[in-house]
mmCIF file of all heavy atoms in Angstrom:
data_model
loop_
_atom_site.group_PDB
_atom_site.id
_atom_site.type_symbol
_atom_site.label_atom_id
_atom_site.label_comp_id
_atom_site.label_asym_id
_atom_site.label_seq_id
_atom_site.Cartn_x
_atom_site.Cartn_y
_atom_site.Cartn_z
ATOM 1 N N ALA E 195 0.833 -1.204 0.000
ATOM 2 C CA ALA E 195 0.000 0.000 0.000
ATOM 3 C C ALA E 195 0.863 1.247 0.000
ATOM 4 O O ALA E 195 1.842 1.347 0.727
ATOM 5 C CB ALA E 195 -0.914 0.001 1.223
ATOM 6 N N GLY E 196 0.481 2.208 -0.836
ATOM 7 C CA GLY E 196 1.154 3.490 -0.820
ATOM 8 C C GLY E 196 2.511 3.468 -1.508
ATOM 9 O O GLY E 196 2.916 2.484 -2.118
ATOM 10 N N ASP E 197 3.220 4.589 -1.396
ATOM 11 C CA ASP E 197 4.524 4.722 -2.034
ATOM 12 C C ASP E 197 5.613 4.106 -1.164
ATOM 13 O O ASP E 197 5.357 3.560 -0.089
ATOM 14 C CB ASP E 197 4.825 6.191 -2.327
ATOM 15 C CG ASP E 197 4.693 7.058 -1.069
ATOM 16 O OD1 ASP E 197 4.877 6.532 0.046
ATOM 17 O OD2 ASP E 197 4.400 8.260 -1.218
ATOM 18 N N ILE E 198 6.859 4.196 -1.636
ATOM 19 C CA ILE E 198 7.978 3.568 -0.930
ATOM 20 C C ILE E 198 8.127 4.144 0.474
ATOM 21 O O ILE E 198 8.403 3.426 1.436
ATOM 22 C CB ILE E 198 9.280 3.749 -1.735
ATOM 23 C CG1 ILE E 198 9.194 2.968 -3.053
ATOM 24 C CG2 ILE E 198 10.482 3.278 -0.925
ATOM 25 C CD1 ILE E 198 10.379 3.174 -3.972
ATOM 26 N N GLY E 199 7.932 5.467 0.606
ATOM 27 C CA GLY E 199 8.052 6.101 1.909
ATOM 28 C C GLY E 199 7.041 5.567 2.902
ATOM 29 O O GLY E 199 7.377 5.294 4.059
ATOM 30 N N PHE E 200 5.791 5.385 2.444
ATOM 31 C CA PHE E 200 4.760 4.869 3.343
ATOM 32 C C PHE E 200 5.021 3.409 3.680
ATOM 33 O O PHE E 200 4.789 2.970 4.804
ATOM 34 C CB PHE E 200 3.371 5.013 2.731
ATOM 35 C CG PHE E 200 2.262 4.566 3.645
ATOM 36 C CD1 PHE E 200 1.805 5.394 4.650
ATOM 37 C CD2 PHE E 200 1.700 3.304 3.518
ATOM 38 C CE1 PHE E 200 0.802 4.988 5.519
ATOM 39 C CE2 PHE E 200 0.703 2.883 4.384
ATOM 40 C CZ PHE E 200 0.250 3.731 5.382
ATOM 41 N N GLN E 201 5.501 2.642 2.714
ATOM 42 C CA GLN E 201 5.808 1.233 2.976
ATOM 43 C C GLN E 201 6.866 1.090 4.069
ATOM 44 O O GLN E 201 6.766 0.231 4.939
ATOM 45 C CB GLN E 201 6.271 0.555 1.682
ATOM 46 C CG GLN E 201 5.175 0.392 0.648
ATOM 47 C CD GLN E 201 5.685 -0.191 -0.653
ATOM 48 O OE1 GLN E 201 6.654 -0.942 -0.670
ATOM 49 N NE2 GLN E 201 5.051 0.153 -1.757
ATOM 50 N N ALA E 202 7.866 1.965 4.026
ATOM 51 C CA ALA E 202 8.911 1.931 5.055
ATOM 52 C C ALA E 202 8.331 2.306 6.415
ATOM 53 O O ALA E 202 8.656 1.691 7.441
ATOM 54 C CB ALA E 202 10.044 2.883 4.682
ATOM 55 N N LYS E 203 7.440 3.289 6.423
ATOM 56 C CA LYS E 203 6.806 3.711 7.668
ATOM 57 C C LYS E 203 5.896 2.612 8.214
ATOM 58 O O LYS E 203 5.845 2.382 9.429
ATOM 59 C CB LYS E 203 6.000 4.995 7.428
ATOM 60 C CG LYS E 203 5.409 5.596 8.684
ATOM 61 C CD LYS E 203 4.927 7.026 8.454
ATOM 62 C CE LYS E 203 3.794 7.121 7.489
ATOM 63 N NZ LYS E 203 3.207 8.492 7.467
ATOM 64 N N ALA E 204 5.203 1.920 7.302
ATOM 65 C CA ALA E 204 4.321 0.829 7.718
ATOM 66 C C ALA E 204 5.125 -0.312 8.332
ATOM 67 O O ALA E 204 4.727 -0.891 9.354
ATOM 68 C CB ALA E 204 3.522 0.322 6.519
ATOM 69 N N GLN E 205 6.266 -0.640 7.734
ATOM 70 C CA GLN E 205 7.092 -1.715 8.293
ATOM 71 C C GLN E 205 7.652 -1.317 9.655
ATOM 72 O O GLN E 205 7.703 -2.145 10.576
ATOM 73 C CB GLN E 205 8.237 -2.064 7.340
ATOM 74 C CG GLN E 205 9.121 -3.185 7.876
ATOM 75 C CD GLN E 205 9.971 -3.833 6.807
ATOM 76 O OE1 GLN E 205 9.679 -3.763 5.634
ATOM 77 N NE2 GLN E 205 11.039 -4.487 7.225
ATOM 78 N N GLU E 206 8.069 -0.062 9.794
ATOM 79 C CA GLU E 206 8.581 0.410 11.078
ATOM 80 C C GLU E 206 7.503 0.310 12.157
ATOM 81 O O GLU E 206 7.778 -0.103 13.290
ATOM 82 C CB GLU E 206 9.059 1.851 10.940
ATOM 83 C CG GLU E 206 9.671 2.421 12.207
ATOM 84 C CD GLU E 206 10.151 3.851 12.035
ATOM 85 O OE1 GLU E 206 10.158 4.340 10.884
ATOM 86 O OE2 GLU E 206 10.507 4.482 13.045
ATOM 87 N N ARG E 207 6.282 0.672 11.793
ATOM 88 C CA ARG E 207 5.168 0.576 12.743
ATOM 89 C C ARG E 207 4.913 -0.873 13.133
ATOM 90 O O ARG E 207 4.685 -1.196 14.302
ATOM 91 C CB ARG E 207 3.907 1.179 12.118
ATOM 92 C CG ARG E 207 2.645 1.052 12.957
ATOM 93 C CD ARG E 207 2.667 1.985 14.140
ATOM 94 N NE ARG E 207 1.475 1.812 14.954
ATOM 95 C CZ ARG E 207 1.091 2.655 15.913
ATOM 96 N NH1 ARG E 207 1.820 3.735 16.150
ATOM 97 N NH2 ARG E 207 0.021 2.423 16.615
ATOM 98 N N MET E 208 4.965 -1.771 12.131
ATOM 99 C CA MET E 208 4.748 -3.187 12.405
ATOM 100 C C MET E 208 5.815 -3.727 13.348
ATOM 101 O O MET E 208 5.515 -4.487 14.276
ATOM 102 C CB MET E 208 4.763 -3.982 11.104
ATOM 103 C CG MET E 208 3.509 -3.840 10.268
ATOM 104 S SD MET E 208 2.043 -4.299 11.201
ATOM 105 C CE MET E 208 2.553 -5.862 11.850
ATOM 106 N N GLU E 209 7.040 -3.334 13.134
ATOM 107 C CA GLU E 209 8.128 -3.813 13.989
ATOM 108 C C GLU E 209 7.952 -3.347 15.428
ATOM 109 O O GLU E 209 8.223 -4.085 16.371
ATOM 110 C CB GLU E 209 9.469 -3.339 13.421
ATOM 111 C CG GLU E 209 9.845 -4.042 12.125
ATOM 112 C CD GLU E 209 11.067 -3.436 11.461
ATOM 113 O OE1 GLU E 209 11.512 -2.364 11.925
ATOM 114 O OE2 GLU E 209 11.561 -4.022 10.479
ATOM 115 N N SER E 210 7.448 -2.118 15.610
ATOM 116 C CA SER E 210 7.213 -1.617 16.970
ATOM 117 C C SER E 210 6.063 -2.353 17.634
ATOM 118 O O SER E 210 6.083 -2.604 18.844
ATOM 119 C CB SER E 210 6.931 -0.113 16.937
ATOM 120 O OG SER E 210 5.693 0.170 16.315
ATOM 121 N N MET E 211 5.054 -2.730 16.853
ATOM 122 C CA MET E 211 3.922 -3.486 17.400
ATOM 123 C C MET E 211 4.358 -4.887 17.804
ATOM 124 O O MET E 211 3.922 -5.418 18.829
ATOM 125 C CB MET E 211 2.784 -3.557 16.377
ATOM 126 C CG MET E 211 2.117 -2.227 16.096
ATOM 127 S SD MET E 211 0.821 -2.347 14.845
ATOM 128 C CE MET E 211 -0.410 -3.294 15.728
ATOM 129 N N ILE E 212 5.229 -5.491 17.010
ATOM 130 C CA ILE E 212 5.712 -6.833 17.322
ATOM 131 C C ILE E 212 6.499 -6.823 18.622
ATOM 132 O O ILE E 212 6.364 -7.716 19.464
ATOM 133 C CB ILE E 212 6.566 -7.371 16.157
ATOM 134 C CG1 ILE E 212 5.685 -7.610 14.928
ATOM 135 C CG2 ILE E 212 7.276 -8.656 16.553
ATOM 136 C CD1 ILE E 212 6.468 -7.809 13.650
ATOM 137 N N LYS E 213 7.322 -5.788 18.815
ATOM 138 C CA LYS E 213 8.074 -5.665 20.049
ATOM 139 C C LYS E 213 7.146 -5.481 21.250
ATOM 140 O O LYS E 213 7.505 -5.796 22.378
ATOM 141 C CB LYS E 213 9.051 -4.495 19.951
ATOM 142 C CG LYS E 213 10.180 -4.722 18.969
ATOM 143 C CD LYS E 213 11.054 -3.491 18.835
ATOM 144 C CE LYS E 213 12.146 -3.706 17.789
ATOM 145 N NZ LYS E 213 12.963 -2.478 17.592
ATOM 146 N N GLY E 214 5.953 -4.960 20.993
ATOM 147 C CA GLY E 214 4.976 -4.786 22.058
ATOM 148 C C GLY E 214 4.112 -6.007 22.283
ATOM 149 O O GLY E 214 3.048 -5.914 22.888
ATOM 150 N N GLU E 215 4.523 -7.149 21.768
ATOM 151 C CA GLU E 215 3.881 -8.454 21.985
ATOM 152 C C GLU E 215 2.584 -8.650 21.209
ATOM 153 O O GLU E 215 1.748 -9.465 21.572
ATOM 154 C CB GLU E 215 3.649 -8.715 23.478
ATOM 155 C CG GLU E 215 4.937 -8.846 24.269
ATOM 156 C CD GLU E 215 4.708 -9.434 25.651
ATOM 157 O OE1 GLU E 215 3.556 -9.468 26.102
ATOM 158 O OE2 GLU E 215 5.697 -9.848 26.271
ATOM 159 N N THR E 216 2.414 -7.915 20.117
ATOM 160 C CA THR E 216 1.315 -8.223 19.206
ATOM 161 C C THR E 216 1.683 -9.484 18.429
ATOM 162 O O THR E 216 2.791 -9.614 17.911
ATOM 163 C CB THR E 216 1.072 -7.067 18.215
ATOM 164 O OG1 THR E 216 0.722 -5.895 18.946
ATOM 165 C CG2 THR E 216 -0.053 -7.403 17.253
ATOM 166 N N THR E 217 0.746 -10.426 18.361
ATOM 167 C CA THR E 217 0.955 -11.656 17.599
ATOM 168 C C THR E 217 0.541 -11.402 16.149
ATOM 169 O O THR E 217 -0.529 -10.833 15.908
ATOM 170 C CB THR E 217 0.130 -12.806 18.191
ATOM 171 O OG1 THR E 217 0.458 -12.952 19.576
ATOM 172 C CG2 THR E 217 0.410 -14.117 17.475
ATOM 173 N N VAL E 218 1.375 -11.820 15.208
ATOM 174 C CA VAL E 218 1.136 -11.487 13.805
ATOM 175 C C VAL E 218 1.188 -12.740 12.936
ATOM 176 O O VAL E 218 2.075 -13.580 13.100
ATOM 177 C CB VAL E 218 2.177 -10.469 13.287
ATOM 178 C CG1 VAL E 218 1.922 -10.132 11.821
ATOM 179 C CG2 VAL E 218 2.164 -9.205 14.135
ATOM 180 N N VAL E 219 0.214 -12.845 12.031
ATOM 181 C CA VAL E 219 0.283 -13.827 10.947
ATOM 182 C C VAL E 219 0.321 -13.015 9.665
ATOM 183 O O VAL E 219 -0.603 -12.257 9.367
ATOM 184 C CB VAL E 219 -0.918 -14.789 10.941
ATOM 185 C CG1 VAL E 219 -0.787 -15.789 9.793
ATOM 186 C CG2 VAL E 219 -1.027 -15.521 12.269
ATOM 187 N N MET E 220 1.394 -13.157 8.908
ATOM 188 C CA MET E 220 1.664 -12.275 7.773
ATOM 189 C C MET E 220 1.865 -13.062 6.487
ATOM 190 O O MET E 220 2.765 -13.904 6.395
ATOM 191 C CB MET E 220 2.916 -11.438 8.079
ATOM 192 C CG MET E 220 3.362 -10.526 6.967
ATOM 193 S SD MET E 220 4.800 -9.517 7.448
ATOM 194 C CE MET E 220 6.055 -10.791 7.620
ATOM 195 N N VAL E 221 1.016 -12.805 5.505
ATOM 196 C CA VAL E 221 1.175 -13.380 4.166
ATOM 197 C C VAL E 221 1.909 -12.374 3.302
ATOM 198 O O VAL E 221 1.545 -11.192 3.256
ATOM 199 C CB VAL E 221 -0.200 -13.696 3.541
ATOM 200 C CG1 VAL E 221 -0.050 -14.010 2.054
ATOM 201 C CG2 VAL E 221 -0.856 -14.863 4.256
ATOM 202 N N SER E 222 2.955 -12.819 2.630
ATOM 203 C CA SER E 222 3.693 -11.915 1.745
ATOM 204 C C SER E 222 4.476 -12.711 0.713
ATOM 205 O O SER E 222 4.960 -13.813 0.981
ATOM 206 C CB SER E 222 4.652 -11.042 2.555
ATOM 207 O OG SER E 222 5.382 -10.175 1.706
ATOM 208 N N HIS E 223 4.587 -12.110 -0.484
ATOM 209 C CA HIS E 223 5.455 -12.688 -1.522
ATOM 210 C C HIS E 223 6.870 -12.142 -1.398
ATOM 211 O O HIS E 223 7.771 -12.590 -2.128
ATOM 212 C CB HIS E 223 4.900 -12.375 -2.910
ATOM 213 C CG HIS E 223 3.706 -13.193 -3.277
ATOM 214 N ND1 HIS E 223 3.763 -14.547 -3.510
ATOM 215 C CD2 HIS E 223 2.399 -12.849 -3.422
ATOM 216 C CE1 HIS E 223 2.556 -15.007 -3.800
ATOM 217 N NE2 HIS E 223 1.719 -13.996 -3.754
ATOM 218 N N SER E 224 7.081 -11.178 -0.505
ATOM 219 C CA SER E 224 8.406 -10.620 -0.295
ATOM 220 C C SER E 224 9.175 -11.504 0.681
ATOM 221 O O SER E 224 8.994 -11.418 1.900
ATOM 222 C CB SER E 224 8.310 -9.195 0.256
ATOM 223 O OG SER E 224 9.584 -8.720 0.650
ATOM 224 N N LEU E 225 10.032 -12.355 0.158
ATOM 225 C CA LEU E 225 10.805 -13.254 1.010
ATOM 226 C C LEU E 225 11.781 -12.476 1.886
ATOM 227 O O LEU E 225 12.093 -12.902 3.001
ATOM 228 C CB LEU E 225 11.547 -14.278 0.155
ATOM 229 C CG LEU E 225 10.662 -15.210 -0.681
ATOM 230 C CD1 LEU E 225 11.520 -16.205 -1.446
ATOM 231 C CD2 LEU E 225 9.652 -15.943 0.193
ATOM 232 N N GLU E 226 12.231 -11.338 1.414
ATOM 233 C CA GLU E 226 13.114 -10.491 2.214
ATOM 234 C C GLU E 226 12.391 -10.010 3.470
ATOM 235 O O GLU E 226 12.944 -10.038 4.575
ATOM 236 C CB GLU E 226 13.588 -9.300 1.380
ATOM 237 C CG GLU E 226 14.517 -8.358 2.120
ATOM 238 C CD GLU E 226 14.955 -7.183 1.263
ATOM 239 O OE1 GLU E 226 14.645 -7.175 0.052
ATOM 240 O OE2 GLU E 226 15.590 -6.262 1.812
ATOM 241 N N ARG E 227 11.147 -9.571 3.298
ATOM 242 C CA ARG E 227 10.378 -9.085 4.453
ATOM 243 C C ARG E 227 10.015 -10.242 5.377
ATOM 244 O O ARG E 227 10.056 -10.113 6.597
ATOM 245 C CB ARG E 227 9.129 -8.357 3.963
ATOM 246 C CG ARG E 227 8.332 -7.690 5.066
ATOM 247 C CD ARG E 227 7.350 -6.703 4.513
ATOM 248 N NE ARG E 227 8.010 -5.503 4.044
ATOM 249 C CZ ARG E 227 7.926 -5.037 2.803
ATOM 250 N NH1 ARG E 227 7.241 -5.698 1.898
ATOM 251 N NH2 ARG E 227 8.542 -3.924 2.457
ATOM 252 N N ILE E 228 9.644 -11.373 4.800
ATOM 253 C CA ILE E 228 9.327 -12.556 5.601
ATOM 254 C C ILE E 228 10.538 -12.970 6.429
ATOM 255 O O ILE E 228 10.430 -13.256 7.632
ATOM 256 C CB ILE E 228 8.896 -13.727 4.691
ATOM 257 C CG1 ILE E 228 7.494 -13.477 4.102
ATOM 258 C CG2 ILE E 228 8.921 -15.053 5.448
ATOM 259 C CD1 ILE E 228 6.355 -13.642 5.066
#
């Protein structure tokens, strides 16, 4: 979703949520992100 800048911001937000003990199930074709 969104441009490259927003994608980076979205990933940063996700990483902060994971550190806060949010459980995540993530489907992605990006093996780098996985």
Side-chain angles (χ1 to χ4, degrees):
D197 54 27
I198 294 175
F200 183 80
Q201 291 176 29
K203 186 166 65 170
Q205 180 162 339
E206 183 179 351
R207 176 73 182 193
M208 285 304 310
E209 290 172 351
S210 68
M211 292 178 69
I212 292 166
K213 292 176 183 177
E215 295 194 345
T216 299
T217 305
V218 180
V219 180
M220 177 177 67
V221 168
S222 179
H223 285 292
S224 171
L225 298 182
E226 180 180 353
R227 186 165 286 122
I228 288 286

